Amino acid sequence: MKYIIGNWKSNKNQNEVSSWFDQFNNLYSQNKNIDLNNLEIVLLAPFIYLPQVKSLVSQYNLPLKIGAQNLSPFQMGAYTGEVNSFQLADFCDYVLIGHSERRKYFHEDNDILMKKVIEAEKAHLKTIYCVGDAKTNIPDTISIVAYEPVWAIGTGTAETPDKAQEVARIIKEKQSVKTVIYGGSVSPSNIALYLGQEDIDGVLPGGASLDPSIFWQLVTNVHS
Ligand code: PGA
């Protein structure tokens, strides 16, 4: 199984979400011959669009899973402005934890990330835990580790597939993690190079997930 996990970050409005799905559905329905069997395609949408995304995925019967980009470190209760794991579980299968933008702009440290991991597990969400190197501590129960070197995110300069492979190998060896994906300037022209590496089980594209035709190209270029 290979993962393509699109991270929309804080992008799109309601109309743009609808039009992304209209276009993605057109591409998908015109290319039903493409074998998606060994792919898990996930979209990480802003909280507020998760209900809309869920209903569009089911309306069009698309082979897409849904995830959130963050979650509350607390349970249900008096935590103004937070969205907790049980609320997310109504809409999502996955949740992203510890993205470098959360660590940088929202000062999320290992303690808070651990609380988020525990909350995600209580609601049976699959966790995608981001690290910027092979040294960062990874909680034991993570489903997927995303290796994302900070300098490669949103810059158009990706880590070389060889180096990404080496970091993925070390993460698997040292932290007994089964699934490692790579993120940082993944595009239709480099996706196959990452997925061809022995220890890289998927990719986490940000910018390349925003346009449905580019996202579709990621899917079709998996083996190219
Ligand atoms: P990028 O973002 O593909 O735009 O570099 C990746 C990420 O931050 O997850």
Side-chain angles (χ1 to χ4, degrees):
M1 173 80 83
K2 297 282 186 189
Y3 294 84
I4 301 179
I5 304 182
N7 178 9
W8 279 358
K9 309 193 179 183
S10 189
N11 287 297
K12 301 201 180 294
N13 61 29
Q14 202 175 6
N15 284 339
E16 288 165 349
V17 173
S18 293
S19 109
W20 192 99
F21 275 91
D22 287 347
Q23 290 175 58
F24 188 85
N25 179 52
N26 283 340
L27 293 161
Y28 172 61
S29 19
Q30 285 157 18
N31 293 281
K32 282 264 165 78
N33 55 323
I34 291 179
D35 179 12
L36 304 178
N37 271 333
N38 287 321
L39 277 186
E40 177 89 334
I41 310 170
V42 184
L43 260 192
L44 307 176
F47 288 145
I48 194 166
Y49 301 124
L50 291 171
Q52 187 187 358
V53 165
K54 186 180 176 185
S55 81
L56 287 162
V57 166
S58 95
Q59 179 190 324
Y60 289 130
N61 198 18
L62 294 171
L64 291 177
K65 296 280 167 53
I66 305 167
Q69 301 167 12
N70 183 28
L71 80 162
S72 174
F74 299 106
Q75 294 185 9
M76 194 89 62
Y79 304 102
T80 302
E82 288 297 288
V83 178
N84 68 61
S85 60
F86 288 93
Q87 294 167 327
L88 290 177
D90 286 338
F91 303 99
C92 299
D93 298 302
Y94 289 87
V95 64
L96 190 70
I97 298 178
H99 190 281
S100 64
E101 288 150 14
R102 302 278 338 152
R103 294 175 194 258
K104 178 175 169 195
Y105 298 119
F106 304 95
H107 312 293
E108 294 189 358
D109 59 16
N110 287 343
D111 287 350
I112 208 132
L113 296 177
M114 193 62 223
K115 290 191 176 127
K116 292 185 179 209
V117 168
I118 292 168
E119 288 308 312
E121 277 157 13
K122 284 184 195 160
H124 305 293
L125 291 168
K126 291 177 194 143
T127 44
I128 308 156
Y129 195 81
C130 302
V131 298
D133 53 49
K135 292 185 295 242
T136 306
N137 195 44
I138 298 169
D140 287 344
T141 48
I142 292 304
S143 319
I144 299 171
V145 169
Y147 164 53
E148 298 205 299
V150 173
W151 54 264
I153 294 177
T155 59
T157 307
E159 175 73 281
T160 64
D162 283 359
K163 284 199 191 135
Q165 153 61 27
E166 181 56 12
V167 175
R169 189 187 65 74
I170 295 171
I171 291 173
K172 283 185 177 174
E173 195 180 280
K174 295 215 168 133
Q175 316 230 31
S176 42
V177 167
K178 287 205 185 67
T179 306
V180 176
I181 65 175
Y182 168 76
S185 298
V186 170
S187 69
S189 57
N190 64 22
I191 184 169
L193 301 175
Y194 294 104
L195 296 186
Q197 304 294 326
E198 193 183 338
D199 291 299
I200 299 182
D201 304 295
V203 289
L204 180 49
S209 70
L210 293 175
D211 178 325
S213 59
I214 297 178
F215 195 64
W216 180 252
Q217 277 177 50
L218 289 172
V219 174
T220 56
N221 285 10
V222 159
H223 301 294
S224 65

